[in-house]
Amino acid sequence: MAKRSITPKHPGANGESGGARTLIERAYEQLRADIIEGRLAPGEKLRVEHLKDHYEVSAGTLREAITRLVSDALVVAEGQRGFRVAPIALEELEDITRLRVQIETEALRQSIQAGDGAWREAVHAAYAALSDAEPIVPARRREWELLNLRFHEALLSGHASPWTLRVLRLLSRHSERYRSVGMHLPGSQREVHAEHTEIYEYAMAGQEARAALALEAHIRATPDALIRALREGRITLPSADAHQVGEALLA
């Protein structure tokens, strides 16, 4: 079985410049990316003594980063037995999608109602930057994910609600895990740029109801396709059982 590679190493704890918080932040970002992209499989045990050498940080730094991922619900703590990557499941995907639709569409309506000139400029700038990265290509996917998040947050920024953004960022991280799987669906032919354009144009025209409907369809597109494929047995969700785990991962 082919070995998986996880996020490339960076200059590490031995002789590395920067403070402890910088090391923790970097390890957190690398681990989160490896979990979202599936390089660390759902259900996989996170062996600190092995992973610290790969990420080139101390065991304490890596545990701090993993603890942050527990707060994000991307990692599960197992008491005295350590940590595992949080599993993924059909029921969770349905729940995440339902919550995103409820919260994000209402937030968009409020944002359009309250949005001013600065909001319109922010949305336009985010849309233009995202358009330059579409259609999505594998080599620029991480860049696209960041620009996609920026566009969605710009749409909602007309009505400031820090807690709404915090909740949606958490849901977005989990949605991204499933989107990573959904992008490999056989025959998947979404016109993502056209979806973004529709949302953008309705928002700029102040048509809040149409914008909310377009946003709901956009949020549901990949989850609905993935849910159908799972129920029909055309695809299975990844798990630790389906991968080579343990020390071989880090070879």
Side-chain angles (χ1 to χ4, degrees), residues 184-200:
H184 300 292
L185 276 175
S188 179
Q189 295 183 338
R190 280 185 65 190
E191 294 289 343
V192 177
H193 180 63
E195 295 172 19
H196 284 147
T197 298
E198 184 179 29
I199 298 165
Y200 167 76

Side-chain angles (χ1 to χ4, degrees), residues 111 114-126 154-155 157-158 204:
S111 185
D116 56 13
W119 170 77
R120 294 175 65 84
E121 289 178 8
V123 172
H124 175 72
L155 284 168
S157 66
M204 290 295 95

Side-chain angles (χ1 to χ4, degrees), residues 226-238:
L226 184 54
I227 288 166
R228 283 195 301 272
L230 288 166
R231 286 178 171 162
E232 293 168 4
R234 291 186 284 116
I235 191 172
T236 58
L237 291 174

Side-chain angles (χ1 to χ4, degrees), residues 3-77:
K3 296 178 182 178
R4 292 181 289 140
S5 62
I6 52 185
T7 299
K9 301 176 185 179
H10 292 267
N14 296 327
E16 180 169 11
S17 61
R21 300 311 306 174
T22 301
L23 293 176
I24 293 168
E25 183 68 24
R26 196 193 66 205
Y28 165 77
E29 293 290 347
Q30 291 174 350
L31 276 162
R32 189 178 73 175
D34 286 333
I35 290 170
I36 288 172
E37 294 292 334
R39 290 183 287 267
L40 290 169
E44 186 168 329
K45 188 172 182 61
L46 297 176
R47 303 178 188 278
V48 173
E49 290 305 314
H50 297 156
L51 289 173
K52 73 178 179 63
D53 294 330
H54 179 84
Y55 293 109
E56 296 189 342
V57 294
S58 69
T61 294
L62 191 62
R63 286 194 184 93
E64 286 279 351
I66 290 173
T67 298
R68 286 189 57 184
L69 291 164
V70 172
S71 299
D72 289 345
L74 289 170
V75 168
V76 177

Side-chain angles (χ1 to χ4, degrees), residues 15-16 30 61 74 85 87 93 97 109 111 121 123 148 163 173-174 180 197 202 206 208-209 211 218 221 227 230 248:
E16 180 169 11
Q30 291 174 350
T61 294
L74 289 170
V85 177
L93 175 58
T97 303
R109 293 174 71 111
S111 185
E121 289 178 8
V123 172
N148 181 59
W163 272 107
R173 288 168 190 160
H174 287 268
S180 179
T197 298
Y202 282 139
E208 62 184 77
H218 174 68
I227 288 166
L230 288 166

Side-chain angles (χ1 to χ4, degrees), residues 57-205:
V57 294
S58 69
T61 294
L62 191 62
R63 286 194 184 93
E64 286 279 351
I66 290 173
T67 298
R68 286 189 57 184
L69 291 164
V70 172
S71 299
D72 289 345
L74 289 170
V75 168
V76 177
E78 298 187 310
Q80 299 301 313
R81 294 180 294 171
F83 304 92
R84 286 189 184 274
V85 177
I88 57 178
L90 176 62
E91 295 77 14
E92 181 185 62
L93 175 58
E94 292 174 323
D95 198 24
I96 290 169
T97 303
R98 182 167 52 250
L99 281 172
R100 276 198 68 194
V101 167
Q102 290 174 354
I103 298 170
E104 196 164 343
T105 56
E106 178 58 26
L108 177 60
R109 293 174 71 111
Q110 293 181 21
S111 185
I112 293 171
Q113 291 171 12
D116 56 13
W119 170 77
R120 294 175 65 84
E121 289 178 8
V123 172
H124 175 72
Y127 170 75
L130 180 59
S131 296
D132 287 342
E134 293 178 332
I136 309 166
V137 294
R140 297 184 67 189
R141 177 152 175 262
R142 294 307 308 159
E143 178 188 359
W144 177 87
E145 289 287 358
L146 291 172
L147 292 171
N148 181 59
L149 178 62
R150 187 178 302 167
F151 173 64
H152 280 260
E153 291 191 349
L155 284 168
L156 308 183
S157 66
H159 178 72
S161 173
W163 272 107
T164 296
L165 286 180
R166 287 189 190 107
V167 171
L168 286 174
R169 280 174 185 166
L170 178 59
L171 293 173
S172 178
R173 288 168 190 160
H174 287 268
S175 296
E176 197 176 338
R177 296 182 79 192
Y178 292 95
R179 186 159 61 244
S180 179
V181 177
M183 283 184 172
H184 300 292
L185 276 175
S188 179
Q189 295 183 338
R190 280 185 65 190
E191 294 289 343
V192 177
H193 180 63
E195 295 172 19
H196 284 147
T197 298
E198 184 179 29
I199 298 165
Y200 167 76
E201 290 179 348
Y202 282 139
M204 290 295 95

